[in-house]
Amino acid sequence: MLSGLLGLETFFPNGVSHYAIGGLLVGLGTAVIYYGTGIPAGASTFLESTLSYVSDRDRFQRYRASRDWRVVFTVGIVLGAAVYALTIQGGAWTTAVAPWRLFVGGTLVGVGTRVGKGCTSGHGICGVGSVSRTSIVGVVTFMLVAIVTANVVAALGVTP
Amino acid sequence: MSSGRHPLFLPTVLVGGLIFGFGLGISQMARPEVVLDFLTFEDLGLLFVMGGGSVVAGLAFWFVPRLRDGAPLTGRRYERRLKAFDRRVLVGGGIFGVGWGLAGICPGAAYASLGVGNWPILYAIAGMFLGAYAQGVWRSKRADDTATPTPSDD
């Protein structure tokens, strides 16, 4: 009754506990790295820093100092998710979202995160956690645009 | 920084990444379908992921500098993640938003998605590298690139 009044079943059909636990762990991972190293780590600079291994361009080489630990951070993310998959998820899971959507969307994400100075973890977790106005504006911007985009795509009947 | 690093620097980053990735797995954010359901208001659970994550990180960013002067493994002073605001934040955020709304995936969640066995996410990761590369090439061809601030290692 109470949950019905609050709209919990309408807006949270899958409950909220695993979302909240996951979010707390994402924040905890960020906090561990911050405590040890002083670095508020985001996930998207990995793209540029890793490109420094294959491109001599100054644009990418300037991330050389951080490229090795960013690879380690990303390997950690993959392995951590793999531990989840093997223990709780119970095996591999694959998406039904069309490859062209993943590729085109991924390309725009790659451009946008580098132009806009951060992604959902850099701006969304570290930036918002730092009460950075730049990051809050960045998050509000990409959130609103993403909501419009996803609804337009759904209205056009693109599934999944 | 690379030569005189503390031996626990990389292990700490790895452990942080493991917790971060495990959290992205549990939160279901590694699944594009769940992100798309959030963006179309069918399941607002991701509010708790981003809310929970930023609150825990925020507490760390607030408390840790009050406990110590610098980080034990780097000696680095604890600073918040503050970046200068300019038009790029809006333009980049807009482009990112179109991509996120189309694919339902962002960088950290994409790496985690690979970990949950979602091999088709390689299409998105390949796109991200391509996009970041194209942006870097484009930026370095612009004459006023010197205006770009020196990147920090975050």
Side-chain angles (χ1 to χ4, degrees), chain A residues 11 14 19 23 34-37 43 68-70 81-82 84 89 93 95-96 101 107 117 120 122 130 134 142 146 151, chain B residues 5 28 31 33 39 43-44 53 72-74 78 80-81 83-84 86 93 97 102 106 111-112 115-116 118 127 153-154:
Chain A
F11 293 110
N14 299 308
Y19 291 118
Y34 183 70
Y35 176 79
T37 68
D68 64 338
W69 74 253
R70 288 187 189 282
Y84 160 78
Q89 183 174 263
W93 174 91
T95 186
R101 286 181 73 173
T107 305
K117 310 178 186 184
T120 20
S130 297
T134 298
F142 66 61
N151 282 285
Chain B
R5 260 188 197 155
Q28 306 295 307
R31 301 187 179 198
E33 281 87 339
L39 294 172
D43 181 354
L44 302 187
L73 304 180
T74 58
Y78 289 117
R80 291 151 70 208
R81 184 189 183 280
K83 299 211 169 182
D86 55 39
L102 183 62
C106 57
Y111 317 146
V116 301
N118 183 24
D153 52 2
D154 60 324

Side-chain angles (χ1 to χ4, degrees), chain B residues 3-25:
Chain B
S3 56
R5 260 188 197 155
H6 193 286
L8 288 177
F9 178 82
L10 289 179
T12 301
V13 170
L14 182 67
V15 169
L18 282 166
I19 300 170
F20 193 99
F22 189 81
L24 282 172

Side-chain angles (χ1 to χ4, degrees), chain B residues 58-140:
Chain B
L59 287 172
F61 295 166
W62 193 84
F63 272 112
V64 167
R66 283 161 179 79
L67 297 173
R68 311 175 50 99
D69 285 334
L73 304 180
T74 58
R76 203 173 136 130
R77 279 178 56 83
Y78 289 117
E79 286 166 350
R80 291 151 70 208
R81 184 189 183 280
L82 302 175
K83 299 211 169 182
F85 180 78
D86 55 39
R87 206 168 53 93
R88 289 178 56 199
V89 177
L90 297 176
V91 174
I95 298 170
F96 183 94
V98 174
W100 197 36
L102 183 62
I105 202 75
C106 57
Y111 317 146
S113 200
L114 202 54
V116 301
N118 183 24
W119 61 266
I121 210 66
L122 288 169
Y123 286 108
I125 294 175
M128 286 177 199
F129 274 109
L130 187 71
Y133 182 72
Q135 193 270 346
V137 170
W138 182 74
R139 288 284 299 179
S140 50

